[in-house]
Amino acid sequence: MEVKCRRLEGKVAVVTASTQGIGLAIAQRLGLEGAAVLISSRKKKNVDEAVDALRAKGITVVGAVCHVSDADQRKNLIDTAVKNFGHIDIIVSNAAANPSLDSILQMKESVLDKLWDINVKASILLVQDAAAHLRKGSSVIIISSIAGYNPEGALSMYGVTKTALLGLTKALAAEMGPNTRVNCIAPGFVPTRFAGFLTTNETVKNELIDRSMLKKLGTVEDMGAAAAFLASDDASYITGETIVVAGGTHSRL
């Protein structure tokens, strides 16, 4: 994809869970618009491969291994960004987990703990770790989900944790303004490995397409474009908001 605008020249971005899927697409778009990018993942092999792929596109990028629930690895993530680039302008909290398809009433406590730990708590701790290094005019972007508006079926508890991120966005925006803007993206259903159990089932896939006013699934590039907008000065008067990128799929609490 050719990107002609360079709205993020001189900016430094940290993106979690960014070696594939939506996270990688966001890192790529930010980099193509001029940002230096720090990508991360739990597996070093994935980090190294993604760094090579992004550098091949002319993007300034470094990588770090980071499991977002590991305090030492989170600290190293932030330290690596500051060591390599001197500061941070953009944080994208993208890591998520959906370890069980059980209903809420059937879900084990250990699974509930993991859902809250990865999907909500880690975003808070990441921002706490990064806050001292964010420059004036910085931007925090939290990745929620359309499931946050419609927590149902196999995504019910996952959806509830994503609903919490909508409130977290409002609360952090109030705390971090006026120097830092905090916004959220709620992606619709996108064919990625993470969502593969939905998008590879033709019956379910067609149902999801039918829910969309545009009658199609989204792409990872759609999410990258939304993130680049929110990170840029084009969104300089937007904070505390959630942009739903879901083709018109119903999105009201």
Side-chain angles (χ1 to χ4, degrees):
M1 177 183 62
E2 184 180 1
V3 177
K4 295 182 179 179
C5 53
R6 303 276 292 185
R7 295 176 291 185
L8 305 176
E9 292 280 5
K11 305 282 189 180
V12 175
V14 175
V15 188
T16 61
S18 48
T19 60
Q20 60 186 353
I22 289 174
L24 178 59
I26 289 174
Q28 177 173 301
R29 180 60 183 260
L30 299 182
L32 290 174
E33 292 215 22
V37 183
L38 173 60
I39 65 169
S40 65
S41 175
R42 293 174 299 166
K43 298 180 180 179
K44 187 176 187 303
K45 178 176 181 290
N46 293 350
V47 172
D48 292 343
E49 290 175 354
V51 165
D52 289 343
L54 293 175
R55 282 180 179 163
K57 297 179 183 293
I59 293 170
T60 300
V61 57
V62 294
V65 173
C66 182
H67 192 304
V68 293
S69 65
D70 185 306
D72 290 337
Q73 291 187 12
R74 274 198 324 274
K75 183 178 185 302
N76 179 65
L77 181 73
I78 300 303
D79 288 348
T80 300
V82 174
K83 178 181 177 181
N84 280 272
F85 305 122
H87 61 271
I88 302 171
D89 301 284
I90 303 161
I91 292 285
V92 182
S93 181
N94 176 61
N98 187 32
S100 173
L101 303 182
D102 289 341
S103 67
I104 294 174
L105 293 180
Q106 298 291 325
M107 196 163 281
K108 295 179 180 178
E109 184 176 358
S110 61
V111 175
L112 290 170
D113 288 342
K114 183 171 184 178
L115 279 163
W116 286 107
D117 189 38
I118 303 298
N119 295 359
V120 182
K121 182 180 173 183
S123 287
I124 299 169
L125 295 175
L126 177 68
V127 174
Q128 287 181 351
D129 291 338
H133 305 285
L134 292 171
R135 295 198 300 181
K136 184 175 181 179
S138 58
S139 174
V140 172
I141 300 169
I142 297 171
I143 307 302
S144 179
S145 169
I146 190 67
Y149 292 92
N150 305 297
E152 59 184 3
L155 292 174
S156 55
M157 193 61 219
Y158 169 84
V160 171
T161 64
K162 291 297 189 175
T163 307
L165 295 180
L166 310 183
L168 178 62
T169 297
K170 293 283 190 187
L172 282 176
E175 281 196 28
M176 300 183 77
N179 288 337
T180 299
R181 296 181 297 106
V182 183
N183 291 293
C184 183
I185 297 171
F189 293 99
V190 178
T192 62
R193 187 177 69 83
F194 186 82
F197 74 102
L198 295 171
T199 57
T200 58
N201 180 308
E202 285 300 314
T203 300
V204 175
K205 177 182 175 181
N206 289 333
E207 180 183 333
L208 296 175
I209 290 172
D210 193 53
R211 291 185 186 184
S212 163
M213 293 179 185
L214 298 180
K215 304 306 177 189
K216 64 179 181 179
L217 298 180
T219 68
V220 295
E221 290 79 13
D222 293 329
M223 309 310 148
F229 165 68
L230 286 175
S232 76
D233 289 341
D234 286 340
S236 63
Y237 199 50
I238 300 175
T239 195
E241 300 297 341
T242 297
I243 293 182
V244 180
V245 189
T249 301
H250 181 73
S251 58
R252 290 194 62 148
L253 292 176

